[in-house]
Amino acid sequence: ETAVFQTPNYHVTQVGNEVSFNCKQTLGHDTMYWYKQDSKKLLKIMFSYNNKQLIVNETVPRRFSPQSSDKAHLNLRIKSVEPEDSAVYLCASSHRGGRDTQYFGPGTRLLVL
Amino acid sequence: AQKVTQTQTSISVVEKTTVTMDCVYETRDSSYFLFWYKQTASGEIVFLIRQDSYKKENATVGHYSLNFQKPKSSIGLIITATQIEDSAVYFCAMREPNTGYQNFYFGKGTSLTVIP
């Protein structure tokens, strides 16, 4: 049963455009994440967000930014997309710390033309 | 440096046999947690099984079990009586609760193909 929701499923855009992806979790978790998965299936953490504390992977380009209205939502904005941004973006959530696992959303596939 | 390493890029096995997928990790924490996830062809990532570092017993869930060798920093995933639907990419992950970060460290994944 899906408990981490992402929209859209798929998005095609052109270089230079701005895009925004939505993520919502209904698990009552206090920490949310964004991952980028490339064509080789490599999972790269981009951001984690907990109690208004944002932790950023320093390798993430500044055109990427997370946006949160509350602990159940963590959206991802890309200000000016580049061809290398084509990938699957996965949202996840968990309880802070400890032994709890992450739960993943179905992902948003981005294609930049 | 890679904190979680999966050296097997892909594995093929015949249906109903047993397969083991390797994973080694690196940590300085005395307490940590190890996870295995499965990513199906649809892209869905699901949690399979967890091993707590302070537990000596190997975790088992259904036809998944773990081979936890703490001195070797190794956590292998064993799937017995494999089925066609076990074909997927399997990720090993580690969580360090004391680093102050919320991150999970993932390996690069092992692609499993189960052949009829």
Side-chain angles (χ1 to χ4, degrees), chain A residues 31 33 35 37 41-43 45 48 50 55 90 94-102 104, chain B residues 33 35 37 39 43 45 47 50 52 54-55 89 91 95 97 100-104 106 108:
Chain A
T31 304
Y33 314 77
Y35 288 86
Q37 187 173 41
K41 297 290 187 180
L42 291 175
L43 280 167
I45 183 78
S48 66
N50 170 270
I55 299 174
L90 290 153
S94 75
H95 286 298
R96 180 179 183 177
R99 61 199 300 266
D100 291 325
T101 183
Q102 284 183 325
F104 284 85
Chain B
F33 305 97
F35 305 83
Y37 296 85
Q39 186 171 34
I45 298 179
F47 163 67
R50 177 186 60 237
D52 302 342
Y54 51 83
K55 291 188 177 179
V89 177
F91 291 97
R95 189 176 201 183
Y101 289 88
Q102 315 305 321
N103 291 348
F104 286 69
F106 280 83
K108 294 183 178 181

Coordinates of all heavy atoms in Angstrom, one line a residue, chain A residues 31 33 35 37 41-43 45 48 50 55 90 94-102 104, chain B residues 33 35 37 39 43 45 47 50 52 54-55 89 91 95 97 100-104 106 108:
Chain A
T31 N 11.1 12.8 9.0 CA 12.2 13.1 8.1 C 11.9 12.7 6.7 O 11.3 11.6 6.5 CB 13.5 12.3 8.6 OG1 13.8 12.7 9.9 CG2 14.7 12.7 7.7
Y33 N 13.3 12.8 2.4 CA 14.5 12.8 1.6 C 14.2 12.9 0.1 O 13.1 12.5 -0.3 CB 15.3 11.4 1.8 CG 15.5 10.9 3.2 CD1 14.4 10.3 3.8 CD2 16.7 11.0 3.8 CE1 14.6 9.8 5.1 CE2 16.9 10.6 5.1 CZ 15.8 10.0 5.8 OH 16.0 9.5 7.0
Y35 N 16.2 11.6 -3.5 CA 17.2 10.9 -4.1 C 17.2 11.1 -5.6 O 16.1 11.3 -6.2 CB 17.2 9.4 -3.9 CG 17.5 9.0 -2.5 CD1 16.5 8.9 -1.5 CD2 18.8 8.5 -2.1 CE1 16.8 8.5 -0.2 CE2 19.0 8.0 -0.9 CZ 18.1 8.1 0.1 OH 18.4 7.6 1.4
Q37 N 18.2 9.0 -9.0 CA 18.6 7.7 -9.5 C 18.9 7.8 -11.0 O 18.0 8.1 -11.8 CB 17.6 6.6 -9.3 CG 18.1 5.2 -9.6 CD 17.2 4.1 -9.2 OE1 16.0 4.2 -9.4 NE2 17.8 3.0 -8.7
K41 N 21.1 3.0 -12.2 CA 20.4 2.7 -11.0 C 21.2 3.2 -9.7 O 20.8 2.8 -8.6 CB 20.3 1.2 -10.9 CG 19.4 0.6 -12.0 CD 17.9 1.0 -11.8 CE 17.0 0.3 -12.7 NZ 15.6 0.7 -12.6
L42 N 22.2 4.0 -9.9 CA 22.9 4.5 -8.7 C 21.9 5.5 -8.0 O 21.4 6.4 -8.6 CB 24.1 5.3 -9.1 CG 25.3 4.4 -9.7 CD1 26.4 5.2 -10.2 CD2 25.7 3.4 -8.6
L43 N 21.8 5.3 -6.7 CA 21.0 6.2 -5.8 C 21.9 7.2 -5.2 O 22.8 6.9 -4.5 CB 20.3 5.4 -4.7 CG 19.1 4.6 -5.1 CD1 18.7 3.6 -4.0 CD2 17.9 5.5 -5.4
I45 N 21.8 10.5 -2.7 CA 21.0 11.4 -1.8 C 21.3 12.8 -2.2 O 22.4 13.3 -2.4 CB 21.4 11.1 -0.3 CG1 20.6 12.0 0.6 CG2 22.9 11.4 -0.1 CD1 19.2 11.4 0.9
S48 N 18.0 15.9 2.8 CA 17.2 15.3 3.9 C 16.7 16.5 4.7 O 17.3 17.5 4.8 CB 17.9 14.3 4.7 OG 18.9 15.0 5.5
N50 N 14.4 17.5 8.2 CA 13.9 17.1 9.5 C 13.7 18.2 10.4 O 14.7 19.0 10.7 CB 14.8 16.0 10.1 CG 14.5 15.7 11.5 OD1 15.0 16.4 12.5 ND2 13.7 14.7 11.7
I55 N 19.5 19.2 5.4 CA 20.9 18.8 5.2 C 21.0 18.6 3.7 O 20.2 17.9 3.0 CB 21.2 17.5 5.9 CG1 21.0 17.8 7.4 CG2 22.6 17.0 5.6 CD1 21.1 16.5 8.3
L90 N 13.4 10.2 -6.6 CA 12.7 9.4 -5.6 C 12.6 10.1 -4.3 O 13.6 10.6 -3.8 CB 13.4 8.0 -5.4 CG 13.4 7.1 -6.6 CD1 14.5 6.1 -6.6 CD2 12.1 6.3 -6.5
S94 N 11.2 8.7 6.7 CA 11.5 7.8 7.8 C 11.3 8.5 9.1 O 11.2 9.7 9.1 CB 12.9 7.2 7.7 OG 13.8 8.2 8.0
H95 N 11.4 7.8 10.2 CA 11.5 8.4 11.5 C 12.9 8.8 11.6 O 13.9 8.2 11.1 CB 11.1 7.4 12.6 CG 9.6 7.2 12.7 ND1 8.7 8.2 13.0 CD2 8.9 6.1 12.5 CE1 7.5 7.7 13.0 NE2 7.6 6.4 12.7
R96 N 13.1 9.9 12.4 CA 14.5 10.4 12.6 C 15.3 9.4 13.4 O 14.9 8.9 14.5 CB 14.4 11.7 13.4 CG 15.8 12.3 13.7 CD 15.7 13.6 14.4 NE 17.0 14.2 14.6 CZ 17.1 15.4 15.2 NH1 16.1 16.1 15.6 NH2 18.3 15.9 15.3
G97 N 16.5 9.0 12.9 CA 17.4 8.2 13.6 C 16.9 6.8 13.8 O 15.8 6.4 13.4
G98 N 17.8 6.0 14.5 CA 17.3 4.7 14.9 C 17.3 3.6 13.8 O 17.8 3.8 12.7
R99 N 16.5 2.6 14.1 CA 16.5 1.4 13.3 C 15.4 1.4 12.2 O 15.3 0.5 11.4 CB 16.3 0.2 14.2 CG 15.0 0.2 15.0 CD 15.1 -0.8 16.2 NE 15.3 -2.1 15.8 CZ 14.4 -3.0 15.6 NH1 13.1 -2.7 15.7 NH2 14.7 -4.3 15.2
D100 N 14.6 2.5 12.1 CA 13.5 2.5 11.2 C 14.0 2.6 9.8 O 14.9 3.4 9.5 CB 12.5 3.6 11.5 CG 11.8 3.4 12.8 OD1 11.5 2.2 13.1 OD2 11.5 4.4 13.5
T101 N 13.3 1.9 8.9 CA 13.6 1.9 7.5 C 13.1 3.2 6.8 O 12.3 3.9 7.4 CB 13.1 0.7 6.8 OG1 13.6 0.7 5.4 CG2 11.6 0.6 6.8
Q102 N 13.5 3.4 5.6 CA 12.9 4.4 4.7 C 11.8 3.8 3.9 O 11.9 2.6 3.5 CB 14.0 5.0 3.8 CG 14.9 5.9 4.4 CD 15.9 6.5 3.4 OE1 16.3 5.8 2.4 NE2 16.3 7.7 3.6
F104 N 9.8 4.5 0.3 CA 10.0 5.2 -0.9 C 8.7 5.5 -1.7 O 7.8 4.6 -1.7 CB 11.0 4.5 -1.9 CG 12.4 4.6 -1.5 CD1 13.0 3.7 -0.5 CD2 13.3 5.5 -2.0 CE1 14.3 3.8 -0.1 CE2 14.6 5.6 -1.6 CZ 15.1 4.7 -0.7
Chain B
F33 N 22.7 0.1 11.7 CA 21.6 -0.7 11.2 C 21.8 -1.0 9.7 O 22.2 -0.1 8.9 CB 20.3 0.0 11.4 CG 20.0 0.3 12.8 CD1 20.3 1.6 13.3 CD2 19.6 -0.6 13.7 CE1 20.2 1.9 14.6 CE2 19.5 -0.3 15.1 CZ 19.7 1.0 15.5
F35 N 20.3 -2.6 6.0 CA 19.0 -2.9 5.4 C 19.3 -3.5 4.0 O 20.3 -3.2 3.3 CB 18.2 -1.6 5.2 CG 18.0 -0.8 6.4 CD1 19.0 0.1 6.9 CD2 16.8 -0.9 7.1 CE1 18.8 0.8 8.1 CE2 16.6 -0.1 8.2 CZ 17.5 0.7 8.7
Y37 N 17.0 -3.6 0.3 CA 15.8 -3.2 -0.4 C 15.8 -3.8 -1.8 O 16.8 -4.2 -2.3 CB 15.9 -1.7 -0.7 CG 15.8 -0.8 0.6 CD1 17.0 -0.5 1.3 CD2 14.6 -0.3 1.1 CE1 16.9 0.2 2.5 CE2 14.5 0.5 2.2 CZ 15.7 0.7 2.9 OH 15.7 1.5 4.0
Q39 N 14.3 -3.3 -5.8 CA 13.7 -2.4 -6.7 C 13.2 -3.2 -7.9 O 14.0 -3.8 -8.6 CB 14.6 -1.3 -7.2 CG 14.0 -0.3 -8.1 CD 14.8 0.9 -8.4 OE1 16.0 0.8 -8.5 NE2 14.2 2.1 -8.6
G43 N 10.1 0.1 -10.9 CA 10.8 1.2 -10.3 C 10.6 1.3 -8.8 O 11.2 2.1 -8.1
I45 N 10.7 0.8 -5.0 CA 11.7 0.3 -4.0 C 11.0 -0.1 -2.7 O 10.3 0.7 -2.1 CB 12.8 1.4 -3.7 CG1 13.5 1.8 -5.0 CG2 13.7 0.9 -2.7 CD1 14.6 2.8 -4.8
F47 N 11.3 -2.2 1.1 CA 12.2 -2.7 2.2 C 12.0 -4.2 2.3 O 10.8 -4.6 2.3 CB 11.9 -1.9 3.5 CG 12.3 -2.6 4.7 CD1 13.7 -2.7 5.0 CD2 11.5 -3.2 5.6 CE1 14.2 -3.3 6.1 CE2 11.9 -3.8 6.8 CZ 13.2 -3.8 7.0
R50 N 16.1 -6.2 7.8 CA 17.0 -5.3 8.5 C 17.8 -6.2 9.5 O 17.3 -7.2 10.1 CB 16.3 -4.3 9.3 CG 17.2 -3.4 10.1 CD 16.4 -2.4 11.0 NE 15.5 -3.1 11.9 CZ 14.2 -2.9 11.9 NH1 13.6 -2.0 11.2 NH2 13.5 -3.6 12.8
D52 N 20.2 -5.4 12.9 CA 20.7 -4.5 13.9 C 22.1 -5.0 14.3 O 22.3 -6.2 14.6 CB 19.8 -4.4 15.2 CG 18.4 -4.0 14.8 OD1 18.2 -3.5 13.7 OD2 17.5 -4.3 15.7
Y54 N 23.8 -4.8 16.9 CA 24.1 -5.4 18.2 C 23.4 -6.8 18.4 O 23.5 -7.4 19.5 CB 23.5 -4.4 19.3 CG 22.1 -4.0 19.1 CD1 21.0 -4.7 19.5 CD2 21.9 -2.8 18.4 CE1 19.7 -4.3 19.2 CE2 20.6 -2.3 18.2 CZ 19.5 -3.1 18.6 OH 18.2 -2.7 18.4
K55 N 22.7 -7.3 17.4 CA 22.1 -8.6 17.4 C 23.0 -9.6 16.8 O 23.5 -9.4 15.6 CB 20.7 -8.5 16.8 CG 19.7 -7.7 17.5 CD 18.3 -7.9 16.9 CE 17.3 -7.1 17.7 NZ 15.9 -7.3 17.2
V89 N 16.5 -5.4 -8.8 CA 17.8 -4.9 -8.4 C 17.7 -4.8 -6.8 O 16.7 -4.3 -6.3 CB 18.1 -3.5 -9.0 CG1 19.4 -2.9 -8.4 CG2 18.1 -3.6 -10.5
F91 N 19.4 -3.6 -3.3 CA 20.3 -2.6 -2.7 C 20.5 -2.9 -1.2 O 19.6 -3.2 -0.5 CB 19.7 -1.2 -2.8 CG 19.6 -0.6 -4.2 CD1 18.4 -0.7 -4.9 CD2 20.7 0.0 -4.7 CE1 18.3 -0.2 -6.2 CE2 20.6 0.5 -6.0 CZ 19.4 0.4 -6.8
R95 N 22.6 2.5 8.0 CA 22.2 3.8 8.7 C 23.1 3.9 10.0 O 23.1 3.0 10.8 CB 20.8 3.8 9.1 CG 20.3 5.1 9.6 CD 18.8 5.1 9.8 NE 18.3 6.5 9.9 CZ 17.0 6.8 10.1 NH1 16.1 5.9 10.4 NH2 16.7 8.1 10.1
P97 N 23.1 5.9 13.3 CA 22.2 6.8 14.0 C 23.0 7.9 14.8 O 22.3 8.8 15.3 CB 21.5 5.9 15.0 CG 22.5 4.7 15.1 CD 23.2 4.6 13.8
G100 N 24.5 12.3 13.4 CA 23.8 13.6 13.3 C 23.1 13.8 12.0 O 22.4 14.7 11.8
Y101 N 23.4 12.9 11.0 CA 22.7 13.0 9.7 C 21.6 12.1 9.7 O 21.5 11.1 10.4 CB 23.7 12.7 8.6 CG 24.8 13.8 8.4 CD1 25.9 13.7 9.1 CD2 24.6 14.8 7.5 CE1 26.9 14.7 9.0 CE2 25.6 15.8 7.3 CZ 26.7 15.7 8.1 OH 27.7 16.7 7.9
Q102 N 20.7 12.4 8.7 CA 19.5 11.5 8.5 C 19.8 10.5 7.4 O 18.9 9.8 7.0 CB 18.3 12.3 8.3 CG 18.1 13.5 9.2 CD 18.2 13.1 10.6 OE1 17.6 12.1 11.0 NE2 18.8 13.9 11.5
N103 N 21.0 10.5 6.8 CA 21.2 9.8 5.6 C 21.3 8.3 5.8 O 21.7 7.8 6.8 CB 22.5 10.2 5.0 CG 22.4 11.7 4.4 OD1 21.3 12.2 4.3 ND2 23.5 12.2 4.1
F104 N 20.9 7.6 4.8 CA 21.1 6.2 4.6 C 22.2 6.1 3.5 O 22.2 6.8 2.5 CB 19.9 5.5 4.1 CG 18.8 5.3 5.1 CD1 18.1 6.4 5.6 CD2 18.5 4.0 5.6 CE1 17.1 6.2 6.6 CE2 17.5 3.9 6.6 CZ 16.8 4.9 7.1
F106 N 23.7 3.9 0.6 CA 23.3 2.8 -0.3 C 24.5 2.3 -1.1 O 25.4 3.1 -1.5 CB 22.2 3.3 -1.3 CG 20.9 3.3 -0.7 CD1 20.4 4.4 0.1 CD2 20.0 2.3 -0.8 CE1 19.2 4.5 0.7 CE2 18.7 2.3 -0.3 CZ 18.3 3.4 0.5
K108 N 25.6 0.2 -4.7 CA 25.3 0.5 -6.1 C 24.3 -0.5 -6.7 O 23.8 -0.4 -7.8 CB 26.6 0.4 -7.0 CG 27.5 1.6 -6.6 CD 28.7 1.6 -7.5 CE 29.6 2.8 -7.2 NZ 30.8 2.8 -8.1

